[in-house]
Amino acid sequence: MLIGKNATWAYIVARTKVMKRKLIPKDEFRKLLNMDFNEIVRYLEETEYKKEIDELAYKYSGPRLLDYALYLNLSRTYNKIVRVSFGLAKELLTLYLRRWDIWNIINILRGKVANAPLEEIEETIVAAGEKDIEFYKNLMMKEPEEIVKAFEGTPYNEPLSKYGTVSISEIEDELYKIYYNEITKLKPAELSLKLFVDFVKMEVDIKNIKTILRLKVEDVPVEEIMDKIIPNGYELSVDEARKLAAMSWDELTKSLEGYWFWKGVEIEKEFSTIEVEFDKAWIEAIARKASNYPLSILPVLQYMVLKKVEIDNLRILGWGKWQNIPNEEIERQLVIV
Amino acid sequence: MAEVQPTRMELIKLRRRIAMATRGHSLLKMKRDGLIMEFREILEEAKEVIGSMIEKYEKAQQKLALAIAVDGAMAVKAISLACCRVPPTFTIKRKSIMGVVVPVIKREKVRKRVIDRDYGVLSTTARIDEAVAAYEELIDAILEVAEIETTLRRLIEEIDRTKRRVNALEFRVIPNMEETARFITFKLEEMDRETIIKLKHLKAKMARREAEEARKAEAKAAA
């Protein structure tokens, strides 16, 4: 019987290991790639997603059905992980999943900006964060000013209070910065917390390098790039990010050699494919770390990332097939590791 | 025809008009052929431009589908509405092709930098950038097609107009004038013939009168 610090992790890791086995294997994606849209939905009806597809099939059809069913499954999976976890694991996972609260706030605000109907806004809500669906249902009924008031006393209040005076894009970026700052500024006193913080810092590195390259392609000035940089990366500090942002494209790509995220990344014509390469590098890196620390939060986080990637891949496949996008193009966009 | 005065002056005027109409007819024929050649050239260009617009449209649709799949339908909807706030600007100038005034659309910079677009960089992926860029390129292509399509339409209208003029000159105006000229010529000739006969009659009458007078004078002398 496991006792002590490892007991917290053993249970949740065992639960997620079982859940991980239910993920769609890599080879199956190759098969899915050769199916048409209806065949993909039929295939998914024989997997974990059956319940959500059946539940929403009366209301939606086509790629929208797939879209909402996948997101519903994702939120249920994340909620289940939080539910079965306890102690520090629960705390960290709740903290990690706050990103979905930001996703929801942003989508509600975007919906308000776009004057979208409430049902449409509700469909984008992924209740996988701290707040439940009822909170968001109430929130979306309110006017933007009242939405801002609902977050008074929270860290999100500051950027949200700028609503109406600055562009919504600035608020979106500020919210994500606050989210990452909250985690990366933690001073880890023990290994499990350090692993968690490092995991998020690695994600910050990936986000930052994607931002630098994405804005570099567009010749955006250094200071404007730096406004979008999230501090406290794993290997990529703010100063290093500034140095990279000031370089020319060729110098920049040469300077990236040696960073943990630059292994096997090839500069392609389209930036989205470079993003996919970064995602692959990140997933491989966390897989390596998770196998080094099997009784830690890392296998749980790894599963959560893999689940999100699976959902994204299925959405790309669904929309791609629906829009008759060639298989090669769909394959380029899939993150299959 | 009835109103035509069959005079020599009228015939001269009519012949001048026929010569001018014939010259105009050949000039219009040349203009029509020139316009058709120009039209064919622009048609080939239009085919390419329209083909490229269709390609860009398909690419934009694909990029949009990927953006919706990765960044979510709401993000794409909000971004599309944010981007719509500033419509693309362009100025229309004019140029002349064989006298046909056609528009030249001078496109202002449709493409925006990622940083200037109304969506967060941290909350979206490059798929959104690519979808927005693909649609910006599509707008450019649509303006190009609009320009070339208007040019083609104006050329077709002008070709049609010129063709009608050529046909009217060839099959109606010139034949009518030639017929009138023939009529005047015939009338003038007839008048000439009448005059000659009248003169002959007069001459015979005068000869008869002279002969009578001579016979009377001879008779008087004999008495």
Side-chain angles (χ1 to χ4, degrees):
Chain A
M1 191 181 149
L2 276 163
I3 46 164
K5 273 190 279 180
N6 285 342
T8 319
W9 306 111
Y11 179 69
I12 182 73
V13 168
R15 290 294 297 258
T16 46
K17 259 191 181 170
V18 175
M19 290 162 95
K20 198 174 160 190
R21 270 188 225 126
K22 289 179 187 165
L23 287 175
I24 298 170
K26 183 168 113 178
D27 298 334
E28 291 293 295
F29 274 100
R30 308 244 179 268
K31 277 189 210 164
L32 284 169
L33 206 56
N34 292 317
M35 292 180 188
D36 66 23
F37 180 80
N38 294 323
E39 285 171 335
I40 292 172
V41 176
R42 266 203 298 281
Y43 173 90
L44 292 176
E45 286 237 68
E46 289 163 16
T47 64
E48 280 283 279
Y49 302 100
K50 179 182 170 41
K51 195 182 160 201
E52 285 77 17
I53 292 173
D54 289 345
E55 213 175 300
L56 295 168
Y58 81 96
K59 208 173 168 189
Y60 305 108
S61 61
R64 287 182 78 193
L65 168 65
L66 195 64
D67 232 22
Y68 304 136
L70 292 173
Y71 269 146
L72 188 60
N73 180 276
L74 182 75
S75 60
R76 282 177 181 169
T77 309
Y78 283 177
N79 286 332
K80 186 180 168 188
I81 294 171
V82 175
R83 221 173 33 248
V84 298
S85 62
F86 53 88
L88 181 63
K90 195 179 187 103
E91 274 176 46
L92 296 182
L93 290 174
T94 310
L95 191 58
Y96 177 74
L97 289 173
R98 271 192 199 160
R99 64 183 56 206
W100 290 102
D101 289 320
I102 293 173
W103 164 276
N104 294 334
I105 297 167
I106 288 173
N107 272 329
I108 291 173
L109 285 178
R110 282 172 178 167
K112 294 283 168 192
V113 169
N115 248 338
L118 289 181
E119 304 85 65
E120 260 184 55
I121 302 177
E122 196 184 326
E123 285 155 10
T124 65
I125 301 296
V126 182
E130 245 184 335
K131 313 280 187 196
D132 59 6
I133 187 76
E134 291 308 315
F135 173 82
Y136 290 112
K137 275 185 183 171
N138 283 330
L139 199 66
M140 70 181 81
M141 309 277 273
K142 294 176 179 170
E143 289 301 306
E145 293 73 26
E146 291 172 303
I147 295 173
V148 173
K149 266 188 191 166
F151 288 94
E152 267 177 6
T154 68
Y156 310 133
N157 182 52
E158 201 198 321
L160 285 174
S161 60
K162 292 179 192 165
Y163 182 85
T165 53
V166 294
S167 68
I168 195 156
S169 61
E170 268 183 55
I171 299 173
E172 285 177 26
D173 289 343
E174 279 301 309
L175 285 171
Y176 274 105
K177 273 189 186 178
I178 288 170
Y179 164 77
Y180 284 110
N181 263 333
E182 251 187 309
I183 299 174
T184 54
K185 76 181 178 193
L186 288 173
K187 298 272 180 271
E190 54 177 294
L191 181 68
S192 49
L193 188 58
K194 187 183 180 317
L195 291 174
F196 172 69
V197 174
D198 282 352
F199 172 86
V200 177
K201 281 184 171 183
M202 284 169 87
E203 196 187 335
V204 168
D205 273 0
I206 292 287
K207 280 250 174 210
N208 282 343
I209 193 60
K210 278 182 187 175
T211 307
I212 293 172
L213 291 173
R214 196 171 153 192
L215 298 182
K216 246 350 231 185
V217 172
E218 304 268 332
D219 272 335
V220 175
V222 181
E223 283 316 309
E224 283 184 68
I225 296 177
M226 291 315 292
D227 285 344
K228 305 287 174 192
I229 295 297
I230 308 164
N232 306 323
Y234 185 66
E235 274 186 15
L236 203 61
S237 64
V238 173
D239 289 337
E240 280 183 69
R242 188 183 296 278
K243 263 188 231 164
L244 292 174
M247 288 176 186
S248 67
W249 180 262
D250 292 335
E251 280 177 333
L252 173 61
T253 48
K254 268 182 203 156
S255 306
L256 288 175
E257 280 162 23
Y259 281 101
W260 69 268
F261 47 76
W262 196 250
K263 279 166 193 141
V265 175
E266 278 175 34
I267 296 291
E268 300 238 1
K269 203 174 79 183
E270 286 188 324
F271 188 69
S272 62
T273 45
I274 304 176
E275 279 197 341
V276 171
E277 295 283 316
F278 279 128
D279 290 337
K280 284 180 185 171
W282 183 48
I283 290 165
E284 277 167 5
I286 56 176
R288 276 194 299 274
K289 274 205 145 192
S291 64
N292 288 341
Y293 299 96
L295 283 180
S296 70
I297 192 146
L298 290 183
V300 185
L301 292 172
Q302 185 203 3
Y303 167 71
M304 288 167 96
V305 170
L306 288 176
K307 181 74 187 174
K308 172 76 173 61
V309 166
E310 180 180 287
I311 298 271
D312 284 344
N313 282 344
L314 290 172
R315 280 156 57 89
I316 291 170
L317 266 169
W319 278 97
K321 289 290 174 181
W322 188 259
Q323 292 283 348
N324 294 324
I325 298 175
N327 277 359
E328 304 76 52
E329 179 61 30
I330 298 176
E331 201 176 357
R332 262 203 298 274
Q333 301 291 336
L334 296 180
V335 182
I336 302 173
V337 184
Chain B
M1 198 85 71
E3 312 87 59
V4 179
Q5 294 294 323
T7 60
R8 213 158 284 280
M9 197 60 214
E10 194 67 34
L11 186 64
I12 291 164
K13 272 188 199 167
L14 202 60
R15 279 191 180 145
R16 273 187 201 146
R17 278 174 60 199
I18 288 171
M20 195 190 282
T22 315
R23 217 166 36 241
H25 172 252
S26 74
L27 277 173
L28 281 173
K29 252 170 108 175
M30 280 197 288
K31 182 185 175 184
R32 182 196 62 189
D33 295 346
L35 281 171
I36 289 172
M37 272 167 66
E38 198 75 40
F39 176 79
R40 279 191 184 149
E41 268 174 39
I42 296 173
L43 189 67
E44 287 306 309
E45 207 182 312
K47 275 184 198 165
E48 271 176 39
V49 173
I50 291 169
S52 124
M53 184 190 73
I54 292 168
E55 260 175 45
K56 280 176 182 165
Y57 172 73
E58 279 165 4
K59 191 183 159 200
Q61 286 289 92
Q62 291 180 2
K63 295 285 172 199
L64 182 68
L66 290 174
I68 292 173
V70 182
D71 294 284
M74 188 52 70
V76 173
K77 193 166 186 175
I79 289 160
S80 65
L81 284 165
C83 293
C84 284
R85 278 189 211 149
V86 189
T89 50
F90 53 86
T91 47
I92 298 178
K93 291 192 172 180
R94 289 169 176 196
K95 79 170 180 186
S96 168
I97 300 174
M98 302 187 75
V100 184
V101 179
V102 293
V104 180
I105 301 177
K106 224 173 148 49
R107 295 174 289 279
E108 303 292 318
K109 203 178 160 202
V110 177
R111 198 150 158 46
K112 274 188 192 170
R113 293 184 313 162
V114 173
I115 212 97
D116 299 329
R117 294 181 192 145
D118 212 0
Y119 58 84
V121 176
L122 300 178
S123 55
T124 55
T125 66
R127 273 102 167 181
I128 285 260
D129 301 347
E130 284 167 10
V132 175
Y135 270 94
E136 283 168 345
E137 274 178 35
L138 181 63
I139 290 174
D140 225 30
I142 288 170
L143 289 175
E144 206 179 339
V145 169
E147 180 186 316
I148 213 155
E149 220 179 82
T150 315
T151 305
L152 280 179
R153 199 171 297 140
R154 297 239 169 116
L155 279 177
I156 288 174
E157 281 167 11
E158 189 61 28
I159 289 169
D160 204 38
R161 213 169 17 240
T162 315
K163 242 180 172 176
R164 263 188 277 128
R165 280 182 187 163
V166 168
N167 287 346
L169 282 172
E170 194 174 333
F171 298 108
R172 197 161 178 86
V173 179
I174 297 175
N176 276 358
M177 285 197 295
E178 278 172 346
E179 203 181 322
T180 312
R182 269 199 303 276
F183 169 76
I184 295 173
T185 316
F186 169 74
K187 276 280 179 192
L188 288 175
E189 282 171 0
E190 210 172 49
M191 279 159 72
D192 280 351
R193 277 193 297 274
E194 264 178 30
T195 315
I196 290 166
I197 287 165
K198 268 183 196 168
L199 284 172
K200 275 185 178 172
H201 273 290
L202 203 65
K203 200 178 169 184
K205 212 175 171 181
M206 279 172 74
R208 266 201 311 274
R209 197 184 291 162
E210 275 171 17
E212 188 70 23
E213 278 171 10
R215 200 166 44 84
K216 274 180 187 172
E218 265 176 36
K220 210 174 182 179

